[in-house]
Amino acid sequence: MIFKLERRVDDSRWMAYLSPILAGALTLITGSILFWALDKDPLQTLYTFFIAPVSDLYGWTELGVKAAPIMLCALGLAVCYRGKVWNIGAEGQLLLGALVGGAMALQFLESDSAFALPLALVVGALAGMAWAAIPALLKTHFNTNEILTTIMLNYIALNLLLFSVHGPLKDPGGFNFPESAMFTEAVTLPLLLEDSRMHIGILFALFALVVVWVLLSKTFVGFQIKVLGLDSRAAHFAGFKERRLVWLALLLSGALAGLAGVCEVTGPIGQLVPQVSPGYGYAAIIVAFLGRLHPVGILLASMLMALIYIGGELVQIELNLPLALTGLFQGMLLFFLLACDVLIGYRIRLSPRFSATRKPSSAALVNGADANLSTPSQ
Amino acid sequence: MDYDLIVNILYATVRTGTPLILVALGELVCEKSGVLNLGQEGMMLMGAVIGFIAALETGNLWLGVTFAMAAGLMMSLLFGFIALNLSANQVATGLALTIFGTGLSAFVGSDYVGTPLVGVEPWHIPLLSDIPFVGRILFSHDPLVYLSFGLFVGVYLFLNRSHAGLALKAVGESPESAKATGLPVFRIRYLAVMFGGAMAGLAGAYLSLAYTPLWAENMTAGRGWIALALVVFASWKAERVLLGAYLFGAFSIMHLVAQGLGFSVSPNLLAIMPYLATIVVLVMLSSDKARVKLYAPVSLGKPFHPVD
C-alpha cells in the first residue's frame, strides 16, 4: 500500500467526533455517484432525499414520528454496547412490545377507560423487557452468545406477530386481511400537533434520553457498565457484579424497545399489522454507533436515520427509485463510519517506500503500542 | 407414517441442509483462521440476488453460480479491508456487512422480484440413485448438493490432513507464534475470509437457483445466522458441521412432517422451529464453558496488528 497506518500515542478525541461527519459526507458522495449512474440528476435526487422531506413543518413532525422509535431502541442499545453486551435484538423486542401491548389495547374495544392507554404502554414495555430477559438469562447462566440468541429471538418475534395477525388477533370484520381491529380513541396516543401524526411518543424518547444520559454519566452503575465494556477483567477484579450489569443493560434496552413498539401500534399505525417496523431495531444499531453510544449523539443520529427513511420514501414516489435505497444508505453509512473510525487510533502516513522522512522513534512507538495490543489475555 | 413420507422427509432434509453446509463450511474456515465474520447473511443475500440475475440474463445457470460466488467474494473483500486492513471491530464490521448486504441485495434485485426462472434440475446419478432408500435420499439431487458433499470432503481434508490447514489453524490459535515461524498471518486470514465469502455466495445461489428458483427480499431468512450457530454447535469440527446442518434442515421442514401426520399447525408457528432449535442447541453447548474454550480458536475475533 502507498499509505501506511501509524498508531497514535493517544486516541484522537477530535476524530471520534469528526468520524461520523466524515462518514456522512462519504455516504453522500457515494450516493451522488450512484444516482448519477442510475441516470438521475444527483443534486436533484439528493435534494429530494435529504432536504425536501424537511422543507415544511409537516416534514419535521414526520421526522419526529420516525425518530422516536429509533431513538428509544438506540438509547437502550447504547447502554448494552457500552458494557460490550452485543444486543442485536431491539427489533424483536420492539415487535413483541407491539404485539403484547397491541393485544392489551384490543381488550378495550368497547371501553373508554382512562387506564387503557397507560396499561397498554406499560404492558408493551414489560413485554419487550421480558423478551430481552431471555438472552440475559441465557448469557448469565448458560454462557450463551447473546448475538446469536437475540438474532434468533428477532425471527421468532416476527413469526409470533405474523401468527397472531393471521390467527387469534385477526379482525373478524376485516375481510380476512391479516390485521387486527383498529384501536379505539381510548388506546391511541394523543397527538402533539394538530394536522400531523406526531404523537407523545417523542416525549417518551426525550425522557428516555435524559434517563440514559444520567445513568451513563452520573451514576456508579453507569461507570461500572463502562468499565465492564472497556476491560471486563478490571470489572471482575473491582468486584463489580457482572451478571447484574448484563441484566440491567438488557432489561433497560428491552423495555425501551418494547415501548417503541407499543407506541408505533397505538400511535401512527393504530392497529396490529404484519409490518409494524421497517427495521427500526436494526437501524438503531447503526444509530447507536453513529451517535458514539452517547445520548446526545444518538438524538442527532436518530434524526438523520429518520430522514433517510422519509427521504427514501420520497425518492420512491417522486423519482421512481426503489425503496431499498433506504437500506443501502443505512449500510453504507455504517461501513464508512467503521472505516473512518480507524483514524481515531491511527494516523495515515505515506509508506516508507514513498517517503524517506520516517523517524526511527515512531517505529519504536508502533512496536510498543502493538505489543500491548496484541497480547491481551495470555 | 408410511415409507414414501419418510423418504421424502429425508430427501427434503438433505436439500434444506445444503445451503447451511455451504455457508457454515465457509465460516468454519474463516473462524479457524481467527476471524469472526458475522456478515454471512449479507453475503448470502448478495450471492442469491447476483446469481439469480446473472442466470436469468445470460440464460446459463452455472454462470449464475459463478457470479454468485464472485459476489460473495467481493463482499468478503469489503469485510477484509475494514476488519483486517483497518483493524476495525470484527463484530461491528460483520453486522455492517449484513445490514449493507440486505440493503444492497434488495436494491439490486428490486426489478426481479417474482420473476420466474427454471432452476437447477435434479441429476440422478446412474446406478447409485437406483439403490433403494439411500439412492433417492442421497443421489437424486441437483448437482449443487453433490458439490456440497465434495466441498465438505475438501474442507475436512484441508483442515485435518494438509500443511496449509495446519498453517491456517496455527494463525487462528496464536497469530504471534505463527508470524514468528514465518507464516504470512495477514495473507492467510485474507484468504480464509475470501473463502468464507465465496461459500456464502454459493449458498445464496443454491437458494435462488435450486432450492426455490426465484428472488425475494431477505429470502435467506436467517440461514446465515443459523450457520454461525452451527459452527459453535460443531465445536469447530467439519464433520459435525455436516451433521448439524442436516439436523437443522430437519427442523426447518417440520411442516412436511406435520402434514404427513395430519396436523394442521400455523405455518408461522412452524417457522419458529429452526430458530428455537438454534437457541436450545446453543444453550446446551455453551453452558459448559470449559468445553467451548477447549475447541474455539484461541484468537477468534481478536484483531492482529502486524509489526511492520
Coordinates of all heavy atoms in Angstrom, one line a residue, chain A residues 1 4-5 38 86 88 138 142-144 147-148 151-153 155-156 159-160 162-163 166 286 289 322 324-325 327-328 331-332 334-335 338-339 342 346 358 367 370 373-374 377, chain B residues 38 41 78 82 85-86 89 91-93 95-97 99-100 103-104 106-107 110 176 222 225-226 228-229 266 268-269 271-272 275 278-279 282-283 286-287 289 302 305 307-308:
Chain A
M1 N 0.8 -1.2 0.0 CA 0.0 0.0 0.0 C 0.9 1.3 0.0 O 1.9 1.3 0.6 CB -0.9 0.0 1.2 CG -2.2 -0.7 1.0 SD -3.4 -0.4 2.3 CE -2.6 -1.3 3.7
K4 N 0.3 4.1 4.9 CA 0.5 3.2 6.0 C -0.1 3.8 7.2 O -0.2 5.0 7.4 CB 2.1 3.2 6.2 CG 2.5 1.9 6.8 CD 3.9 1.5 6.5 CE 4.3 0.4 7.4 NZ 3.3 -0.8 7.3
L5 N -0.6 2.9 8.1 CA -1.3 3.4 9.3 C -0.3 3.4 10.4 O 0.5 2.5 10.5 CB -2.4 2.4 9.7 CG -3.6 2.4 8.7 CD1 -4.6 1.3 9.1 CD2 -4.3 3.8 8.7
L38 N -27.5 5.9 -12.1 CA -28.8 5.5 -12.4 C -29.5 6.5 -13.3 O -30.8 6.5 -13.5 CB -29.6 5.4 -11.1 CG -29.3 4.2 -10.2 CD1 -29.9 4.4 -8.8 CD2 -29.7 2.9 -10.8
W86 N -23.6 -7.4 23.4 CA -24.0 -7.2 22.0 C -25.4 -7.6 21.7 O -25.7 -8.6 21.1 CB -23.0 -8.0 21.0 CG -21.7 -7.5 21.1 CD1 -20.6 -8.1 21.7 CD2 -21.2 -6.3 20.5 NE1 -19.5 -7.3 21.5 CE2 -19.8 -6.2 20.8 CE3 -21.7 -5.3 19.7 CZ2 -19.0 -5.1 20.3 CZ3 -21.0 -4.2 19.3 CH2 -19.6 -4.2 19.6
I88 N -28.5 -7.5 19.6 CA -28.9 -7.2 18.3 C -30.4 -7.3 18.2 O -31.0 -7.4 17.1 CB -28.2 -8.2 17.3 CG1 -26.8 -8.4 17.6 CG2 -28.3 -7.7 15.8 CD1 -25.9 -7.2 17.4
L138 N -29.9 -16.5 29.5 CA -29.1 -17.4 28.8 C -27.6 -17.0 28.8 O -26.7 -17.9 28.9 CB -29.5 -17.6 27.3 CG -31.0 -18.1 27.1 CD1 -31.3 -18.2 25.6 CD2 -31.2 -19.4 27.8
F142 N -26.1 -19.6 31.2 CA -25.6 -20.7 30.3 C -24.5 -20.3 29.4 O -24.2 -21.0 28.5 CB -26.8 -21.2 29.5 CG -28.0 -21.7 30.4 CD1 -29.0 -20.9 30.7 CD2 -27.9 -23.0 30.9 CE1 -30.1 -21.4 31.5 CE2 -28.9 -23.5 31.7 CZ -30.0 -22.7 32.0
N143 N -24.0 -19.0 29.6 CA -22.8 -18.6 28.9 C -23.1 -18.6 27.4 O -22.2 -18.8 26.5 CB -21.7 -19.6 29.2 CG -20.4 -19.2 28.5 OD1 -20.1 -18.0 28.4 ND2 -19.6 -20.2 28.1
T144 N -24.4 -18.3 27.0 CA -24.7 -18.4 25.6 C -24.5 -17.0 24.9 O -24.8 -16.0 25.5 CB -26.2 -18.7 25.5 OG1 -26.5 -19.8 26.3 CG2 -26.6 -19.0 24.0
I147 N -25.3 -12.4 20.8 CA -25.6 -12.0 19.4 C -26.5 -13.0 18.7 O -27.5 -12.6 18.1 CB -24.2 -12.0 18.6 CG1 -23.3 -11.0 19.3 CG2 -24.5 -11.6 17.2 CD1 -21.9 -10.9 18.6
L148 N -26.2 -14.3 18.9 CA -27.0 -15.3 18.2 C -28.4 -15.4 18.8 O -29.3 -15.6 18.1 CB -26.2 -16.6 18.2 CG -24.9 -16.6 17.4 CD1 -24.1 -17.9 17.6 CD2 -25.2 -16.4 15.9
I151 N -30.6 -12.5 17.8 CA -31.0 -12.6 16.4 C -32.1 -13.6 16.2 O -33.1 -13.3 15.5 CB -29.8 -13.0 15.5 CG1 -28.8 -11.8 15.4 CG2 -30.2 -13.5 14.2 CD1 -29.1 -10.9 14.2
M152 N -31.9 -14.8 16.8 CA -32.9 -15.8 16.7 C -34.3 -15.3 17.3 O -35.3 -15.6 16.7 CB -32.5 -17.1 17.4 CG -31.3 -17.8 16.8 SD -31.5 -18.2 15.1 CE -29.9 -17.8 14.5
L153 N -34.2 -14.6 18.4 CA -35.4 -14.1 19.0 C -36.1 -13.1 18.1 O -37.3 -12.9 18.2 CB -35.1 -13.5 20.4 CG -34.9 -14.6 21.4 CD1 -34.2 -14.0 22.7 CD2 -36.1 -15.4 21.8
Y155 N -36.3 -13.3 14.8 CA -37.1 -14.0 13.9 C -38.3 -14.7 14.5 O -39.4 -14.8 14.0 CB -36.2 -15.1 13.2 CG -35.2 -14.6 12.2 CD1 -33.9 -14.3 12.6 CD2 -35.6 -14.2 10.9 CE1 -33.0 -13.8 11.6 CE2 -34.8 -13.7 10.0 CZ -33.4 -13.5 10.4 OH -32.6 -12.9 9.5
I156 N -38.1 -15.1 15.8 CA -39.2 -15.8 16.5 C -40.3 -14.7 16.8 O -41.5 -15.0 16.5 CB -38.8 -16.4 17.8 CG1 -37.8 -17.6 17.5 CG2 -39.9 -16.9 18.6 CD1 -37.2 -18.2 18.7
N159 N -42.3 -14.0 13.7 CA -43.3 -15.1 13.3 C -44.4 -15.1 14.3 O -45.5 -15.5 13.9 CB -42.5 -16.4 13.3 CG -41.9 -16.6 11.9 OD1 -42.6 -16.7 10.9 ND2 -40.6 -16.7 11.9
L160 N -44.2 -14.8 15.6 CA -45.3 -14.7 16.5 C -46.3 -13.6 16.1 O -47.5 -13.8 16.2 CB -44.8 -14.4 17.9 CG -44.1 -15.6 18.7 CD1 -43.6 -15.2 20.0 CD2 -45.1 -16.7 18.9
L162 N -46.7 -12.4 13.1 CA -47.4 -12.9 11.9 C -48.5 -13.9 12.2 O -49.6 -13.8 11.7 CB -46.4 -13.5 10.9 CG -45.4 -12.6 10.2 CD1 -44.5 -13.3 9.4 CD2 -46.2 -11.5 9.4
F163 N -48.2 -14.8 13.1 CA -49.2 -15.8 13.6 C -50.4 -15.1 14.2 O -51.5 -15.5 13.9 CB -48.5 -16.8 14.6 CG -49.5 -17.6 15.4 CD1 -50.2 -18.6 14.8 CD2 -49.7 -17.3 16.7 CE1 -51.1 -19.3 15.5 CE2 -50.6 -18.0 17.5 CZ -51.3 -19.1 16.9
H166 N -52.5 -13.3 11.6 CA -53.2 -14.2 10.7 C -54.2 -15.1 11.5 O -55.1 -15.7 10.9 CB -52.2 -15.1 10.0 CG -51.6 -14.5 8.9 ND1 -50.3 -14.0 8.9 CD2 -52.0 -14.2 7.6 CE1 -49.9 -13.5 7.8 NE2 -50.9 -13.6 6.9
I286 N -27.1 1.0 14.0 CA -26.3 2.0 13.3 C -26.3 3.3 14.0 O -25.3 3.9 14.2 CB -26.8 2.2 11.8 CG1 -26.8 0.8 11.1 CG2 -26.0 3.2 11.1 CD1 -27.5 0.9 9.7
F289 N -24.0 3.4 17.1 CA -22.6 3.5 16.7 C -22.3 5.0 16.2 O -21.4 5.6 16.6 CB -22.1 2.6 15.7 CG -21.9 1.2 16.2 CD1 -22.7 0.1 15.8 CD2 -20.9 0.9 17.1 CE1 -22.5 -1.2 16.3 CE2 -20.7 -0.3 17.6 CZ -21.5 -1.4 17.2
P322 N -36.0 2.6 -6.3 CA -36.5 1.5 -5.4 C -36.4 2.0 -3.9 O -35.5 2.7 -3.5 CB -35.6 0.4 -5.7 CG -34.6 0.8 -6.7 CD -34.9 2.1 -7.1
A324 N -35.6 0.3 -1.5 CA -34.5 -0.4 -0.9 C -33.3 0.6 -0.8 O -32.3 0.2 -0.1 CB -34.0 -1.6 -1.7
L325 N -33.3 1.7 -1.4 CA -32.2 2.7 -1.3 C -32.0 3.0 0.2 O -30.9 3.3 0.6 CB -32.6 4.0 -2.0 CG -32.1 4.2 -3.4 CD1 -32.6 5.5 -4.0 CD2 -30.6 4.2 -3.5
G327 N -32.2 1.1 2.9 CA -31.3 0.1 3.5 C -29.9 0.2 3.0 O -29.0 0.1 3.8
L328 N -29.8 0.6 1.7 CA -28.5 0.7 1.1 C -27.7 1.9 1.8 O -26.6 1.8 2.1 CB -28.6 0.9 -0.4 CG -27.4 0.9 -1.2 CD1 -26.6 -0.4 -1.0 CD2 -27.7 1.1 -2.7
G331 N -26.6 0.9 5.4 CA -25.5 0.1 5.4 C -24.2 0.8 5.0 O -23.2 0.7 5.7
M332 N -24.3 1.7 4.0 CA -23.1 2.4 3.6 C -22.6 3.3 4.7 O -21.4 3.4 5.0 CB -23.5 3.3 2.4 CG -23.3 2.7 1.1 SD -23.2 3.9 -0.3 CE -24.7 4.8 -0.2
L334 N -22.9 2.9 7.9 CA -22.2 2.2 9.0 C -20.8 1.7 8.5 O -19.8 1.8 9.3 CB -23.0 1.0 9.4 CG -22.5 0.1 10.5 CD1 -22.1 0.9 11.7 CD2 -23.5 -1.0 10.9
F335 N -20.7 1.3 7.3 CA -19.4 0.9 6.7 C -18.4 2.1 6.7 O -17.3 1.9 7.2 CB -19.5 0.4 5.3 CG -19.5 -1.1 5.2 CD1 -20.4 -1.7 4.4 CD2 -18.6 -1.8 5.9 CE1 -20.4 -3.1 4.3 CE2 -18.5 -3.2 5.8 CZ -19.5 -3.8 5.0
L338 N -17.3 2.8 10.3 CA -16.3 1.9 10.8 C -14.9 2.2 10.2 O -13.9 2.1 10.8 CB -16.7 0.5 10.6 CG -17.9 0.0 11.4 CD1 -18.4 -1.3 10.9 CD2 -17.4 -0.1 12.9
A339 N -14.9 2.5 8.9 CA -13.7 2.7 8.2 C -13.0 4.0 8.7 O -11.8 4.1 8.9 CB -13.9 2.8 6.7
V342 N -11.0 4.3 12.1 CA -9.6 3.9 12.2 C -8.8 5.1 12.5 O -7.7 5.0 13.1 CB -9.1 3.1 10.9 CG1 -9.0 4.1 9.7 CG2 -7.9 2.4 11.1
Y346 N -5.4 5.7 14.7 CA -4.2 5.7 13.8 C -4.1 7.0 13.0 O -5.1 7.7 12.7 CB -4.3 4.5 12.8 CG -4.2 3.2 13.4 CD1 -5.4 2.6 14.0 CD2 -3.0 2.5 13.5 CE1 -5.3 1.3 14.6 CE2 -3.0 1.3 14.1 CZ -4.1 0.7 14.6 OH -4.0 -0.5 15.2
R358 N 10.7 9.0 7.5 CA 10.2 8.3 8.6 C 11.2 8.4 9.8 O 12.4 8.0 9.6 CB 9.9 6.9 8.2 CG 8.7 6.4 8.9 CD 8.4 5.0 8.2 NE 8.6 4.0 9.2 CZ 7.5 3.5 9.9 NH1 6.4 4.0 9.7 NH2 7.7 2.6 10.8
N367 N 6.0 -0.3 17.7 CA 6.2 -1.6 18.3 C 5.7 -1.6 19.7 O 5.0 -2.6 20.1 CB 7.8 -1.8 18.4 CG 8.3 -2.1 17.1 OD1 7.6 -2.7 16.3 ND2 9.5 -1.7 16.8
D370 N 1.9 -1.8 19.8 CA 1.3 -3.1 19.3 C 1.6 -4.2 20.3 O 0.7 -5.1 20.4 CB 1.9 -3.4 17.9 CG 1.2 -2.7 16.8 OD1 0.0 -2.4 17.1 OD2 1.8 -2.4 15.8
L373 N -1.2 -4.2 22.5 CA -2.5 -4.5 21.9 C -2.7 -6.0 21.6 O -3.7 -6.6 21.8 CB -2.7 -3.7 20.6 CG -3.4 -2.4 20.8 CD1 -3.3 -1.6 19.5 CD2 -4.8 -2.6 21.2
S374 N -1.6 -6.6 21.1 CA -1.8 -7.9 20.5 C -1.7 -9.0 21.5 O -1.8 -10.2 21.2 CB -0.8 -8.1 19.4 OG 0.5 -7.9 19.8
S377 N -4.6 -11.3 26.6 CA -5.0 -12.2 27.6 C -4.2 -13.5 27.6 O -4.7 -14.5 27.4 CB -6.5 -12.5 27.5 OG -6.7 -13.1 26.3
Chain B
L38 N -19.5 -11.9 11.0 CA -20.9 -12.0 11.2 C -21.7 -11.6 10.0 O -22.9 -11.4 10.0 CB -21.3 -11.2 12.4 CG -20.8 -11.5 13.8 CD1 -21.3 -10.6 14.8 CD2 -21.0 -13.0 14.1
E41 N -25.0 -13.6 6.5 CA -26.4 -13.3 6.0 C -26.3 -12.4 4.8 O -27.0 -12.6 3.8 CB -27.2 -12.8 7.1 CG -28.7 -12.6 6.8 CD -29.5 -13.8 6.9 OE1 -28.9 -14.9 7.3 OE2 -30.7 -13.8 6.6
L78 N -14.6 -6.5 1.1 CA -15.1 -5.3 1.9 C -14.8 -5.5 3.4 O -14.3 -4.7 4.1 CB -16.5 -5.1 1.6 CG -17.1 -3.7 1.7 CD1 -16.3 -2.7 0.8 CD2 -18.5 -3.6 1.3
I82 N -11.9 -3.6 5.9 CA -12.2 -2.9 7.1 C -11.8 -3.6 8.4 O -11.3 -3.0 9.3 CB -13.7 -2.5 7.2 CG1 -14.1 -1.6 6.0 CG2 -14.1 -1.8 8.5 CD1 -15.5 -1.2 5.8
N85 N -7.4 -4.8 7.3 CA -6.5 -3.7 7.0 C -6.7 -2.6 8.0 O -5.7 -2.0 8.5 CB -6.8 -3.1 5.6 CG -6.4 -4.0 4.5 OD1 -7.1 -5.0 4.1 ND2 -5.2 -3.8 3.9
L86 N -7.9 -2.2 8.3 CA -8.1 -1.1 9.2 C -8.3 -1.6 10.6 O -8.6 -0.8 11.5 CB -9.3 -0.3 8.7 CG -9.3 0.2 7.3 CD1 -10.5 1.1 7.0 CD2 -8.0 1.1 7.1
N89 N -13.4 -3.3 14.7 CA -14.0 -4.3 15.5 C -14.8 -5.3 14.6 O -15.6 -4.9 13.7 CB -15.0 -3.7 16.4 CG -15.8 -4.6 17.3 OD1 -16.3 -5.7 16.8 ND2 -15.9 -4.3 18.6
V91 N -17.0 -7.7 15.2 CA -18.4 -7.9 15.4 C -19.2 -6.8 14.7 O -20.1 -7.0 13.9 CB -18.7 -7.8 16.9 CG1 -20.2 -7.8 17.1 CG2 -18.1 -9.0 17.6
A92 N -18.7 -5.5 14.9 CA -19.4 -4.4 14.2 C -19.3 -4.5 12.7 O -20.3 -4.2 12.0 CB -18.9 -3.1 14.7
T93 N -18.1 -4.8 12.2 CA -17.9 -4.9 10.8 C -18.8 -6.0 10.1 O -19.4 -5.7 9.1 CB -16.4 -5.1 10.4 OG1 -15.6 -4.2 11.2 CG2 -16.2 -4.9 9.0
L95 N -21.6 -7.1 11.3 CA -23.0 -6.6 11.4 C -23.2 -5.6 10.2 O -24.3 -5.7 9.5 CB -23.3 -5.9 12.7 CG -23.6 -6.7 13.9 CD1 -23.7 -5.8 15.1 CD2 -24.9 -7.4 13.7
A96 N -22.3 -4.7 10.0 CA -22.4 -3.8 8.9 C -22.5 -4.5 7.6 O -23.3 -4.1 6.7 CB -21.2 -2.8 8.9
L97 N -21.7 -5.5 7.4 CA -21.8 -6.3 6.2 C -23.2 -6.9 5.9 O -23.7 -6.9 4.8 CB -20.7 -7.4 6.2 CG -20.4 -8.1 4.9 CD1 -19.8 -7.1 3.9 CD2 -19.5 -9.3 5.0
I99 N -26.1 -5.7 7.3 CA -27.0 -4.6 7.0 C -26.9 -4.1 5.6 O -27.8 -3.9 4.8 CB -26.8 -3.5 8.0 CG1 -27.2 -4.0 9.4 CG2 -27.7 -2.3 7.7 CD1 -27.0 -3.0 10.5
F100 N -25.6 -3.9 5.2 CA -25.3 -3.4 3.8 C -25.8 -4.4 2.8 O -26.4 -4.1 1.8 CB -23.8 -3.2 3.7 CG -23.3 -2.7 2.4 CD1 -23.7 -1.4 2.0 CD2 -22.6 -3.5 1.5 CE1 -23.2 -0.9 0.8 CE2 -22.2 -3.0 0.3 CZ -22.5 -1.7 -0.1
G103 N -29.5 -4.4 2.4 CA -30.0 -3.3 1.6 C -29.6 -3.4 0.1 O -30.5 -3.2 -0.7
L104 N -28.3 -3.7 -0.1 CA -27.9 -3.7 -1.5 C -28.6 -4.8 -2.3 O -29.0 -4.6 -3.5 CB -26.3 -3.9 -1.5 CG -25.7 -3.9 -2.9 CD1 -25.9 -2.5 -3.5 CD2 -24.2 -4.1 -2.8
A106 N -31.6 -6.0 -1.9 CA -32.9 -5.6 -2.1 C -33.0 -4.5 -3.2 O -33.8 -4.5 -4.1 CB -33.6 -5.0 -0.9
F107 N -31.9 -3.6 -3.2 CA -31.9 -2.6 -4.2 C -31.6 -3.2 -5.6 O -32.3 -2.9 -6.6 CB -30.7 -1.6 -3.8 CG -30.5 -0.5 -4.8 CD1 -31.4 0.5 -4.9 CD2 -29.4 -0.5 -5.6 CE1 -31.2 1.5 -5.9 CE2 -29.1 0.5 -6.5 CZ -30.1 1.5 -6.7
S110 N -34.6 -5.3 -7.0 CA -36.0 -4.8 -6.9 C -36.8 -5.0 -8.2 O -38.0 -5.1 -8.2 CB -36.0 -3.3 -6.5 OG -35.2 -2.6 -7.5
E176 N 0.8 -14.5 16.8 CA 2.1 -14.1 17.1 C 3.1 -15.2 16.8 O 4.1 -15.0 16.1 CB 2.2 -13.7 18.6 CG 1.4 -12.4 18.9 CD 0.0 -12.7 19.2 OE1 -0.4 -13.9 19.5 OE2 -0.9 -11.8 19.1
G222 N -32.4 -15.7 7.7 CA -31.6 -16.0 8.9 C -30.7 -17.2 8.8 O -30.1 -17.6 9.8
W225 N -27.2 -16.6 9.9 CA -27.0 -16.6 11.4 C -27.1 -18.0 11.9 O -26.3 -18.3 12.9 CB -28.1 -15.7 12.0 CG -28.1 -14.3 11.6 CD1 -28.9 -13.6 10.7 CD2 -27.1 -13.3 12.0 NE1 -28.5 -12.3 10.6 CE2 -27.4 -12.1 11.4 CE3 -26.0 -13.4 12.9 CZ2 -26.6 -11.0 11.5 CZ3 -25.2 -12.3 13.0 CH2 -25.6 -11.1 12.4
I226 N -28.0 -18.8 11.4 CA -28.0 -20.2 11.9 C -26.7 -20.9 11.6 O -26.2 -21.6 12.5 CB -29.2 -20.9 11.2 CG1 -30.5 -20.3 11.8 CG2 -29.1 -22.4 11.5 CD1 -31.8 -21.0 11.2
L228 N -23.8 -19.5 11.7 CA -22.8 -19.1 12.7 C -23.0 -19.9 14.0 O -22.1 -20.4 14.6 CB -23.1 -17.6 13.0 CG -22.4 -16.7 12.0 CD1 -23.1 -15.4 12.0 CD2 -21.0 -16.5 12.4
A229 N -24.3 -20.2 14.3 CA -24.6 -21.0 15.5 C -24.1 -22.5 15.2 O -23.7 -23.1 16.1 CB -26.1 -21.0 15.8
S266 N -50.2 -23.7 12.4 CA -50.0 -22.5 11.6 C -48.6 -22.5 11.1 O -47.6 -22.9 11.8 CB -50.1 -21.3 12.6 OG -49.3 -20.3 12.2
N268 N -46.7 -20.1 10.5 CA -45.8 -19.2 11.2 C -45.3 -19.8 12.5 O -44.1 -19.5 12.8 CB -46.6 -17.9 11.5 CG -47.1 -17.2 10.3 OD1 -48.3 -17.0 10.1 ND2 -46.1 -16.8 9.5
L269 N -46.1 -20.6 13.1 CA -45.6 -21.2 14.4 C -44.5 -22.3 14.0 O -43.5 -22.4 14.7 CB -46.7 -21.9 15.1 CG -47.6 -20.9 15.9 CD1 -48.6 -21.7 16.7 CD2 -46.8 -19.9 16.7
A271 N -42.6 -22.1 11.5 CA -41.4 -21.4 11.0 C -40.5 -21.0 12.2 O -39.3 -20.8 12.0 CB -41.8 -20.1 10.2
I272 N -41.0 -21.0 13.4 CA -40.2 -20.7 14.6 C -39.2 -21.8 14.9 O -38.2 -21.5 15.4 CB -41.2 -20.4 15.8 CG1 -41.9 -19.1 15.6 CG2 -40.4 -20.4 17.1 CD1 -42.9 -18.8 16.6
Y275 N -35.3 -21.6 14.5 CA -34.7 -20.6 15.4 C -34.7 -21.0 16.8 O -33.7 -20.8 17.6 CB -35.4 -19.3 15.2 CG -35.6 -18.8 13.8 CD1 -36.9 -18.8 13.2 CD2 -34.5 -18.6 13.0 CE1 -37.0 -18.4 11.9 CE2 -34.7 -18.2 11.7 CZ -35.9 -18.1 11.1 OH -36.1 -17.8 9.8
T278 N -32.1 -23.6 17.3 CA -30.8 -22.9 17.4 C -30.5 -22.5 18.8 O -29.4 -22.7 19.4 CB -30.7 -21.7 16.5 OG1 -31.0 -22.2 15.2 CG2 -29.3 -21.2 16.4
I279 N -31.5 -21.8 19.5 CA -31.3 -21.3 20.8 C -31.0 -22.5 21.8 O -30.1 -22.5 22.6 CB -32.5 -20.5 21.3 CG1 -32.6 -19.2 20.4 CG2 -32.4 -20.1 22.8 CD1 -33.7 -18.3 20.8
L282 N -27.6 -24.0 21.3 CA -26.6 -23.1 21.8 C -26.5 -23.1 23.3 O -25.4 -23.2 23.9 CB -26.9 -21.6 21.4 CG -26.5 -21.2 20.0 CD1 -27.0 -19.8 19.7 CD2 -25.0 -21.2 19.9
V283 N -27.7 -23.2 24.0 CA -27.7 -23.3 25.4 C -27.0 -24.6 25.9 O -26.2 -24.6 26.8 CB -29.2 -23.2 26.0 CG1 -29.2 -23.6 27.4 CG2 -29.7 -21.8 25.8
S286 N -23.2 -24.2 25.1 CA -22.3 -23.2 25.6 C -22.2 -23.3 27.1 O -21.3 -22.7 27.7 CB -22.9 -21.8 25.3 OG -23.3 -21.8 23.9
S287 N -23.2 -23.9 27.8 CA -23.2 -23.9 29.3 C -21.9 -24.5 29.8 O -21.5 -24.1 30.9 CB -24.4 -24.5 29.8 OG -24.7 -25.7 29.1
K289 N -18.5 -24.0 29.9 CA -17.6 -23.0 29.4 C -16.2 -23.7 29.0 O -15.6 -23.3 28.0 CB -17.3 -22.1 30.6 CG -18.2 -20.8 30.5 CD -17.6 -19.8 31.5 CE -18.6 -18.7 31.7 NZ -18.2 -17.6 32.6
K302 N -10.1 -11.6 17.6 CA -9.1 -10.5 18.1 C -8.3 -10.0 16.9 O -7.8 -10.8 16.1 CB -8.2 -11.2 19.1 CG -8.8 -11.5 20.4 CD -7.8 -12.2 21.3 CE -8.5 -12.8 22.5 NZ -7.8 -13.9 23.1
H305 N -2.3 -7.0 14.9 CA -1.6 -5.8 14.3 C -0.1 -6.3 13.9 O 0.7 -6.4 14.8 CB -1.5 -4.7 15.3 CG -2.8 -4.3 15.8 ND1 -3.5 -3.3 15.4 CD2 -3.6 -4.9 16.8 CE1 -4.7 -3.2 16.0 NE2 -4.7 -4.2 16.9
V307 N 3.6 -6.1 13.1 CA 4.5 -5.0 13.4 C 5.5 -5.0 12.2 O 6.4 -5.7 12.1 CB 5.3 -5.4 14.7 CG1 6.3 -4.3 15.0 CG2 4.3 -5.6 15.8
D308 N 5.2 -4.1 11.3 CA 5.9 -3.8 10.1 C 6.2 -5.1 9.3 O 6.3 -6.1 9.7 CB 7.2 -3.0 10.3 CG 6.8 -1.6 10.6 OD1 5.6 -1.3 10.5 OD2 7.7 -0.8 10.9

